[in-house]
Amino acid sequence: MSNTDSFIEEVNEEVRRDRLYGYLRRYGWIAVLAILLIVGGAAYSEYRRAQARAQAEALGDAMLAALAVNTSAERAEALGSIEPAKPTAAAVLRMMTAAEQANAGDTDMAVATLSAVAVDGDVPPVYRQLAQFKAITLQGADAPVADRRQALEAMAQPGNAFRLLASEQLALIDIETSDTDAAINRYQAILSDAEVSADLQQRALQVIVALGGEPELSDVVGLGGGSAAAQDN
């Protein structure tokens, strides 16, 4: 390589170096900012996780302390004074409070506590449905039959997580009002439902027999009907 070529190569290298330094001076802050954002984001995520753990531990400690007091009325008061940060935790806590209120004999207050959960739009639907079901059943015969029937019929519709339990309560109202045929038909529908639990299925079978009915088992899986049909196929 001649001296001229060597000189040109050195000049080109110097130009490239100057351009690189220029780019770094002009755009280097972007890389630094990206690194800071990544590190800061990781630190913030860890902080949030630690904060969530601390809140959960504090809530658990407060609930255990509330449940450790002597009487149901005192436990209800202690539970009611806790203020959880998340709607789901608040719903569970209020249902626990309602249970202690009911144990203390304050049914009206327990129903009011459950009803507040049932209409809280921030609470997941399954918790609202559970609170509504508990409020209805807690009132029992103290509430007018028509009111209980209307509320339970609304809960017995498809899509409600407690529809079969609501149907069972409707059957009990039929028995209460001496409508035995309606009760048997309702229990038969429960017995044949594909989503019925084993315990509820057994209860339905026992009540049908106790009411003098004859259970129809041809479409009932697990009690001979569905299994037999499957074997025939």
Side-chain angles (χ1 to χ4, degrees):
M1 179 180 294
S2 66
N3 291 335
T4 301
D5 292 339
S6 178
F7 174 74
I8 293 173
E9 183 66 26
E10 290 178 3
V11 170
N12 288 337
E13 183 66 27
E14 189 67 26
V15 170
R16 285 194 293 269
R17 188 179 298 109
D18 289 342
R19 285 180 178 175
L20 176 61
Y21 290 153
Y23 288 144
L24 288 175
R25 285 192 296 270
R26 181 176 298 181
Y27 303 111
W29 65 272
I30 297 177
V32 173
L33 179 60
I35 293 172
L36 290 176
L37 287 174
I38 293 172
V39 174
Y44 180 71
S45 296
E46 182 59 31
Y47 166 75
R48 290 295 300 272
R49 285 194 292 268
Q51 189 178 46
R53 284 195 299 269
Q55 289 177 347
E57 290 173 359
L59 176 60
D61 291 342
M63 292 171 66
L64 289 174
L67 293 173
V69 298
N70 294 327
T71 67
S72 293
E74 291 174 332
R75 287 193 291 271
E77 183 178 359
L79 288 168
S81 66
I82 301 172
E83 297 182 359
K86 296 185 177 181
T88 301
V92 172
L93 187 62
R94 282 186 283 179
M95 283 191 278
M96 292 174 63
T97 302
E100 294 298 342
Q101 289 168 337
N103 289 337
D106 196 348
T107 303
D108 291 341
M109 184 60 71
V111 170
T113 301
L114 291 168
S115 297
V117 177
V119 298
D120 189 341
D122 293 330
V123 175
V126 66
Y127 290 96
R128 297 203 306 268
Q129 294 166 4
L130 176 58
Q132 183 183 15
F133 180 77
K134 284 179 172 291
I136 296 169
T137 55
L138 187 59
Q139 294 175 75
D142 293 336
V145 169
D147 292 347
R148 282 184 285 147
R149 190 185 295 277
Q150 182 179 12
L152 288 167
E153 284 176 347
M155 291 199 69
Q157 300 304 311
N160 191 298
F162 302 94
R163 64 180 184 85
L164 291 178
L165 292 177
S167 294
E168 182 184 28
Q169 292 298 315
L170 286 168
L172 292 175
I173 291 177
D174 291 332
I175 295 173
E176 180 184 340
T177 57
S178 301
D179 194 346
T180 303
D181 290 340
I184 291 175
N185 290 335
R186 205 180 295 273
Y187 272 116
Q188 182 62 54
I190 293 172
L191 191 64
S192 304
D193 195 286
E195 297 179 358
V196 67
S197 67
D199 289 342
L200 180 53
Q201 192 178 61
Q202 191 64 33
R203 288 202 303 273
L205 180 63
Q206 291 172 348
V207 175
I208 291 173
V209 173
L211 293 175
E214 185 174 345
E216 176 56 57
L217 303 180
S218 60
D219 296 326
V220 179
V221 176
L223 292 178
S227 300
Q231 291 173 1
D232 290 341
N233 291 333

